[in-house]
Structure formats: structure tokens, C-alpha cells
Amino acid sequence: MNTNWTHPLERQSVGKAFVSYLVPSILGMLVIAFNFIIDGIMVGHKLGSTALAGIGIASPVYTLFVAMSLWIGMGGATLYSNYMGQRDMTTAKQIFTKSITIILLITMAIGYTAFTLKDQLVYALGANAETFPYAADYINIMLLFGFVFTIENALTIFVRNDGDPNTSMYAQITFAVGNIVLNYITLYVLEWGVQGVAIGTIVSASLALLVLLSHFFKKSNNLVFTRFKWNTKLFGTIVLIGFPSFLAELGMSVFSISHNISLDRIAGTDGVASFTVLNYIHGVVLLAFLGLASAAQPLVSYYHGAKQIAREKQAIRIASRTALACGVILLLVVQWGAPYFVQIFGNFSESVTSNAVYGLRIFTFAYLFMGINFVMSTYFQSIGNAKMAIWITAAREMIIMIALIAVLPSFWDVTGVWLAVPLSEMLVLVTIAVYYRKRTVSERIHSLTIE
């Protein structure tokens, strides 16, 4: 244990520390979001709406790999920061080593096992005869080489939690720029189709991984691979703390699959294509909110481990207010620009275009509540309250959303599909407010009892 070492967070005010993490985190996420948008534009213009729908159907596989990396990566990094706050650097290093090792082994095992059932998997995700070839081309590459970006994604989290958000940002920029360049080459020069898009993603993740490795050569680096003994209790803690992050990404798969299946039933391939366009735009917002929550996580985890409760609460207040302001701005921008945003993905049929614009304008009301839900889930996760973090994630992306998407279309057809997410986010925020108020009252009563 090193009692003389001083973490950078000890030398900064909460507001300044939050901004120092927020700016690179948001920029990195927005660059990745821009990359996704460019991907959609390239595929839409080069291969058409059916190929775009095929990638949309296959995207849950990518999401699943990211979910696995976040499960162990976020759980391990949160615990890593907790122990750094306690100045127990030996345990922190063991947590880092264990987390990266487990992520590599698990994602390789899942990918290679799923590859043996790849055709059945494509149809299970909602593909039809038109979209199957495109979805299959994308999934085959992802299952075989997806472990590359799971390691890259997890290491991005650890580097950020080790006090180096800028290197994490540079890695994200490298991934995004590399992916855009490689996708242009594979689509327009080599004409490899959807398979080329998947290859570009894997190669770009490899380049980003090289950038992250530069952190290990810095004097400020505390991420050291070390021998560790298997500790079931410690592993269980990592799994429990990280489970909300896994659930959040898995929920994106549920989100995509449920919307694809529902819209395919109601509006056919055009409905799925319109949702895929919406999902590209929605992905930008999700990454922005994820960047915001990711900026708060290292602060809250460290302050909680160091028992600096006042600073911990101040960090979450700043993050929540920032999320609300971003939600209002995003709502206004997308309401105004919906037709223009949809048009940039290609010259689609009137059915696809009008449905995407209509859906987007309804869907974006979710952003008033979504950012705060992200922040509060991260807050509860960072202080070890996994149950509440799991509830927030499971309710907004699975329990309430699935119930609404199953019921509402019976009354309002396609409109019911678009309404499911905004209503789900609003109801979840209500449950958070009720829980937080009861928790605050309980803490006050406990404090008065002790006095």
C-alpha cells in the first residue's frame, strides 16, 4: 500500500475534475458516433436500404461483444478506482489483470461457439430472405474477430480510470477515423460489400488498441499486469458491479431486435429500414450520454472509495444537470432537423423516409429523461448499489420497454412502436426519483438517530 501517492482527483475541485473527464469523454464518443453515421451514409448510398437493414439486424452481435467488455471492464475499472481511492494499489493491479484476462477468454469462447450456429442466429435476429445475405456477411466476421474490440473497449475504460482520459479519447478518434477510411476503401475501392464494413471495424479496433498501449509507457501509469490468485469473492464483486453495464448493452440488442421484429410485422422491410436510419441517429445520442456518464464514473468511484461523500454527491449533481441540459438541446435540434438527418443516409422510398422522420420526432422525447437515467445508473453502480443500477437498466431497456412495445402497437400501430421508448424512460425516471427521495429521508433519520 502506498500512502504517499496522490491521485490527480485529490488536487482538483469536483467541477474542474468533471470537466477534465467530460470533454475528452464526450469528444471521443461523438467522434465514434460520427463514424457510425458515416458508415450508415456509405452503406446506404453504396448498397441501398436492404443492406442497411441487414447491418441493423446483425448489429446486436456487435452490441453483445461490447456488452461483455463493459460487464467485466466497467465492473473491474470501478473496483480498480475504489481500491485506488483506498490507496491499495496491489489489489487494484490484480483486479486489472484479472479483468482483461477474463474478457479475452470469455469473448473468444462465445464468438467461436456462436459461429457454429451462425445461420440460425441470423434468422433469430429477425432477418428475412432479403436481408439474410447482408446480415450473415456482417455476423461471420464479428463472431470470429470480435474479441479484438472487446479488449480495446475494456482497456479504454481502465485507461480513463487510471487518470488518462485523453489517451482514451485519442484511441476512440483513431478507431473512428480508421474505420471511416477503411470502410471507404472496402466499399468503394475493393467493393467487398457488407463484409468489408465488418473487416474495417476489426482493423480499426486493432489500431485503437495500439494507441491505448502507449499509456503503459507513461510515468503516471498504474496499470500493471501482475500475477494473481483466483479470488471467487472478488470476481463475484466485479461481475455484480459490472452487470448493469452488460445489461445496458444487452438491452440495446433487445431494443434493436424488438423494434426490428415489431416493425417487420407491421410495415415490412421498409419499416425495418426506417428504424435502422433512426437507430443510427439514436446511436449518436446514446454515445453522447454514455460519454457523459463515463466522465462521472471515475470521479464517483474514487470519491466513494476515499469516503469523500460530499464530493461524491456534488459530482452526481453536476452530471445530472448537464444531462438534463443536453437532453433539452438534443430534443430541439432533432425536432427541427429530422428530415435533413434522414436524407443524408440515402435516397430512400417515400415510405422509408416519411416513417423515419415521423418516428424520430416521437422518439426524441425520450432524451429529456434518458441522460439522467444513464447518470443515475452509473452513480448507483459506482457506489456498489448494483440492485438499483440493474433495476434502472433492466426496466428502461427490457421490462417496461418490451411491455410497451408489445401492447401499444395494438392501439396505435407504428406510432405505438415509436412511443415505447419515451414512455419507458419517463416511467423509469419516476421510479428513480421515488427511490432517491426515500433513500435521502432514510439517511437523514439514521444520521439523527446516531446524533
Side-chain angles (χ1 to χ4, degrees):
M1 183 180 296
N2 186 351
T3 57
N4 296 320
W5 175 79
T6 302
H7 195 281
L9 291 177
E10 298 281 0
R11 302 190 295 268
Q12 295 178 311
S13 67
V14 176
K16 185 176 181 181
F18 179 71
V19 172
S20 71
Y21 277 81
L22 178 66
V23 173
S25 184
I26 289 286
L27 285 177
M29 289 295 181
L30 287 178
V31 169
I32 289 180
F34 178 71
N35 159 61
F36 288 150
I37 292 291
I38 296 298
D39 270 4
I41 293 171
M42 286 183 181
V43 173
H45 281 276
K46 177 65 177 176
L47 303 177
S49 62
T50 304
L52 202 62
I55 291 180
I57 288 167
S59 64
V61 172
Y62 175 88
T63 304
L64 176 62
F65 277 109
V66 174
M68 293 303 302
S69 67
L70 286 177
W71 187 356
I72 307 301
M74 186 64 77
T78 298
L79 209 57
Y80 172 85
S81 289
N82 285 167
Y83 277 99
M84 292 295 280
Q86 298 171 32
R87 290 174 166 73
D88 187 350
M89 298 176 73
T90 299
T91 304
K93 292 172 183 177
Q94 290 176 350
I95 289 169
F96 164 67
T97 306
K98 183 180 294 185
S99 298
I100 297 298
T101 302
I102 291 170
I103 289 167
L104 177 61
L105 295 176
I106 289 178
T107 53
M108 288 183 72
I110 290 174
Y112 295 146
T113 301
F115 187 77
T116 63
L117 303 169
K118 55 184 183 300
D119 288 352
Q120 297 95 314
L121 178 61
V122 174
Y123 281 116
L125 291 173
N128 56 29
E130 290 181 274
T131 54
F132 176 85
Y134 300 103
D137 281 350
Y138 189 85
I139 280 178
N140 290 344
I141 299 298
M142 285 297 156
L143 291 177
L144 288 174
F145 302 104
F147 67 90
V148 174
F149 62 76
T150 61
I151 294 298
E152 181 268 330
N153 195 48
L155 197 57
T156 298
I157 301 169
F158 270 100
V159 169
R160 184 186 298 119
N161 275 259
D162 199 39
D164 194 0
N166 288 331
T167 296
S168 291
M169 177 187 69
Y170 298 145
Q172 290 170 318
I173 292 173
T174 299
F175 171 82
V177 174
N179 201 37
I180 291 170
V181 173
L182 288 169
N183 281 351
Y184 178 82
I185 293 171
T186 57
L187 278 172
Y188 289 88
V189 179
L190 301 176
E191 296 193 350
W192 287 354
V194 169
Q195 192 174 48
V197 175
I199 292 172
T201 300
I202 299 300
V203 175
S204 301
S206 302
L207 296 175
L209 188 57
L210 293 177
V211 174
L212 290 168
L213 293 177
S214 69
H215 175 76
F216 291 84
F217 298 97
K218 296 181 179 180
K219 292 182 179 180
S220 59
N221 172 53
N222 295 293
L223 299 176
V224 177
F225 287 99
T226 183
R227 290 185 178 182
F228 65 88
K229 293 182 179 179
W230 184 256
N231 185 324
T232 303
K233 183 178 179 181
L234 190 62
F235 175 68
T237 304
I238 292 173
V239 169
L240 183 62
I241 292 175
F243 187 66
S245 295
F246 168 78
L247 209 58
E249 285 296 320
L250 189 63
M252 281 304 300
S253 295
V254 174
F255 165 79
S256 296
I257 293 169
S258 60
H259 280 74
N260 281 329
I261 292 174
S262 183
L263 287 166
D264 184 52
R265 177 174 54 83
I266 297 170
T269 301
D270 280 358
V272 176
S274 65
F275 170 69
T276 302
V277 173
L278 181 149
N279 208 11
Y280 272 109
I281 298 168
H282 178 55
V284 176
V285 178
L286 280 182
L287 285 171
F289 283 141
L290 179 60
L292 197 157
S294 297
Q297 181 268 319
L299 278 68
V300 175
S301 297
Y302 181 86
Y303 294 147
H304 188 74
K307 302 189 185 306
Q308 298 175 10
I309 306 304
R311 304 190 96 194
E312 173 190 314
K313 290 183 176 180
Q314 186 183 353
I316 212 63
R317 280 197 302 271
I318 294 171
S320 297
R321 290 169 183 171
T322 305
L324 177 59
C326 289
V328 172
I329 293 169
L330 285 167
L331 173 64
L332 295 175
V333 170
V334 176
Q335 287 293 321
W336 169 79
Y340 306 102
F341 296 146
V342 171
Q343 288 173 8
I344 65 175
F345 287 92
N347 297 316
F348 304 131
S349 67
E350 176 62 26
S351 174
V352 172
T353 302
S354 61
N355 200 16
V357 171
Y358 177 67
L360 195 59
R361 282 181 166 155
I362 296 174
F363 194 89
T364 48
F365 280 95
Y367 302 152
L368 294 175
F369 321 108
M370 188 180 291
I372 300 175
N373 288 342
F374 261 85
V375 169
M376 293 308 297
S377 178
T378 301
Y379 166 67
F380 288 119
Q381 184 179 12
S382 298
I383 66 172
N385 189 344
K387 289 182 179 179
M388 190 59 190
I390 289 170
W391 159 252
I392 294 170
T393 303
R396 59 178 287 270
E397 294 190 329
M398 297 182 189
I399 300 170
I400 296 177
M401 188 202 72
I402 289 176
L404 291 173
I405 207 170
V407 173
L408 294 181
S410 300
F411 298 96
W412 295 299
D413 211 36
V414 173
T415 302
V417 179
W418 302 133
L419 279 170
V421 169
L423 289 177
S424 174
E425 295 289 349
M426 181 185 70
L427 291 173
V428 169
L429 184 57
V430 171
T431 68
I432 294 172
V434 171
Y435 175 84
Y436 198 78
R437 180 170 294 182
K438 287 183 177 180
R439 181 170 173 266
T440 303
V441 170
S442 177
E443 287 176 352
R444 288 175 181 172
I445 293 173
H446 180 69
S447 178
L448 289 172
T449 303
I450 293 175
E451 292 176 2

